[in-house]
Amino acid sequence: MSSEQQPLEFDVVVIGAGPVGENAADRAHKAGLTVAIVEKHLVGGECSFYACSPSKALLRPIHATRASQRVQGSEGAHLDAQGVLDRRDAWINKLDDSGQVGWLDHVGITLLRGEGVLTGTRTLEVDGREVVARQAVILATGTTPAIPPIPGLRDAKPWTNREATTTRRIPERLAVLGGGVVACELAQVFQALGSAVTIVEQAPGLLGRNEEFAGTAVKEALERDGVDVRTDTKAVEVSRLGPTGEVTVHLEGGATVVADELLVAVGRTPATKGLGLEAVGAELTDAGYVSVTDQMEVKGLDDQSPWLYAVGDVNGLALLTHMGKYQARACGDLVGARAAHREPEPGKTTPWAGDLGSPQVVFTDPEVAAAGLTEAQARERGLNIRVVDLPMDKASGSGLQAEGYQGQARIVVDEDAGVLVGATFVGQDVADLIHPATIAIVGKIPLTTLWHAVPSYPTMSEIWLRLLEEYGL
Amino acid sequence: MSSEQQPLEFDVVVIGAGPVGENAADRAHKAGLTVAIVEKHLVGGECSFYACSPSKALLRPIHATRASQRVQGSEGAHLDAQGVLDRRDAWINKLDDSGQVGWLDHVGITLLRGEGVLTGTRTLEVDGREVVARQAVILATGTTPAIPPIPGLRDAKPWTNREATTTRRIPERLAVLGGGVVACELAQVFQALGSAVTIVEQAPGLLGRNEEFAGTAVKEALERDGVDVRTDTKAVEVSRLGPTGEVTVHLEGGATVVADELLVAVGRTPATKGLGLEAVGAELTDAGYVSVTDQMEVKGLDDQSPWLYAVGDVNGLALLTHMGKYQARACGDLVGARAAHREPEPGKTTPWAGDLGSPQVVFTDPEVAAAGLTEAQARERGLNIRVVDLPMDKASGSGLQAEGYQGQARIVVDEDAGVLVGATFVGQDVADLIHPATIAIVGKIPLTTLWHAVPSYPTMSEIWLRLLEEYGL
């Protein structure tokens, strides 16, 4: 039994080996510490196997095909559904994480397969085996799909992002509950691959966390694709005919949506169950996320010497891989500095940029790329803002990119500070237009300086010039 | 005759109605001045009809087709040469500038068709008609293709960018003299549209003003396309068999290149001839460009009250449309402020960012996108730099963009100042990755701040994170 074994000892133990956990482990290890990472499923995590990576792998052939179809002189492009699925399989390596495990071996991080449970300050059990973390434990367990309490829903065995991103079967009819990023991206994928997709979303629009015009553009595009988008629509009951028969979603008002599969994409639930948080006094937010300081220290611990951290989705600050990784880098550096009794490098161990609003790209067609605050968020913060809107084709680079290019750009300017606080681009191939905004926002570059950052002609980035001209520079 | 007519009077006269002249005129007009613009050929200029726009219009179908071909699941894309030429025709509006003329009319700028010649301080003649510029004359005449003094070359009636970007005939064999942007972009276009292309370039590599690895990548790509790239090769004589027969380029050492057309793309000559510069004492640089101050004022004038300005290619500072337009905006604002005896807005009337190195995108496949200084330029300036190189596929966004994505990224860091001074990206779809660099360079953002600008996963922009990690952040 475990009690007879010596406990395993490491400087740092990270629970959860998704990209966030990997980053935290890597930074702590680079600081000279011995590190173990605990994973009960796949090293690489949700993002690599069930979320961003397969979703983008599925979407990219759709984008590339349409981009070709939209340019005169480029002919004949069409989608091959089997090829798309094969591509996805290559990206998720058929759910084999040996590549990621090889990386851990290569850098010298110990992988502990199993479920990690906190048992006290700096101690945990992994599948019954006692493990001691001399310096710190970092939680990076992420989230799981939320299943709302709709009668019959669980029994209908709905798909979550996991089943949808890994399926090799294209259902004839797919119903999607939800209207956020996962719902929109996967609705577009399945419609393009041959499903007849219906979206059922409670909110009045799609992509509710983005500027309203972004959700509107994606809704219109999905409808052009043939998706039946029902916003302002509430599902009240779900039933399935037998274990694999058709699913009926009963809507408020009496209508129904009948489909072969139902994808639930209505948000996420923090993966805190069974982590032993109560054993150490960890505080949770109202939504059940692990409550952290601005240095990712878990709040409310019985032993308040800093030893327990939470990074990524599980702390609920920003449910985005890149923001979780950002927190993880800062946290890994902080743990390294504290272990060495070094003063942390100024600014490096606090992931302060999260407060300015997280950049995010939705890889639908059109893409939605946003950074900083939306207009509404900026107003909520009481900022004195000005909003500048322009169609993307004000930059000739957009028209050169695709015939009849459709898209929209917005910047949100803090008039008192004279700096950018938000930006959103909607359109084909806008994903990489957002990093300039992220830099301008984080760098708090005065607009009068930004004016001298000349975009190259004729790139799509010239929309930056047009926006500043429209602002009045 | 003109002498009997009253002179035409305007506050400002701009000579040259390319994008640069248009911008200068627009800004001066927006400052409340009456403005005339003089153009002897097409309003819209070289860029709109014979350079950037048609070149990109021709290249984009090639890029879109290849992008599709490089993604598993996107099948069947191929190039249709007639479609490509039709697309180009649409972009150059079959050399009809009525759209641009309509814009001038719409905003209220007077178009004077004809050749503008300076006759004295604030006076000029346009096709013999006397014109007075009460406040300022702005020169924006650009450049013309340089024809090197190779025996027989002129008589062989070579193509310049004008003939190459507007042709409807794809020569069976095309020889290209030169290895810069125009040579590389058009060599790729004609090879893709069916020509057998040979590049003859004196220098040891292509794209000599960029980082060496960029030229090497483009050379290898052109060779994969089937272009015969001969660097380190000097043309010593050219002959053509009859007026439309085949052209022979005689190379140093005795070899020859035989082609149906010969494109000369070895640089540009300032369009100063017949401008009357000598009548006002204007100073020229050694290379024959109009010499200007950092506020675009022409140097050496007999009348030194500021009244004559030169913007864009004709001043030789940066032969790039977007940099010329940048100078033009600053110049137009300066002229407006001076006319109103207003103090110019701080920083707006000096296009200071040019000194930091001009951003530029070469739209070959692979694209080359660069900003700031190359390693060599930074060393020439005596900066204490560190160079960080990474293959583009270190960002998973690149691998998701195309199977087997090939590309290279470099940043040049000023170690004393702790800021970025240069960046170069080579690869498919990198054109919009460079604006973040331009902003970081112009904003002089400390690398330790840039570290907090988190690129979205999984975009190609994540190469920014990888570069900073590799740097040691």
Side-chain angles (χ1 to χ4, degrees), chain A residues 386-446:
Chain A
R386 201 171 129 208
V387 170
V388 178
D389 287 311
L390 274 185
M392 281 293 300
D393 64 3
K394 284 283 173 188
S396 26
S398 303
L400 284 159
Q401 192 74 356
E403 325 305 354
Y405 189 98
Q406 297 262 325
Q408 191 69 19
R410 164 173 291 183
I411 54 171
V412 181
V413 176
D414 178 336
E415 289 285 86
D416 297 331
V419 300
L420 197 73
V421 292
T424 297
F425 301 99
V426 177
Q428 181 188 320
D429 298 323
V430 299
D432 289 306
L433 293 188
I434 202 62
H435 199 48
T438 308
I439 289 181
I441 292 167
V442 165
K444 296 189 167 60
I445 306 174

Side-chain angles (χ1 to χ4, degrees), chain A residues 30 115 368:
Chain A
K30 281 196 174 120
E115 192 133 8
V368 176

Side-chain angles (χ1 to χ4, degrees), chain B residues 55-66:
Chain B
S55 184
K56 179 81 195 286
L58 290 162
L59 283 157
R60 174 64 189 149
I62 301 171
H63 289 218
T65 301
R66 293 181 178 186

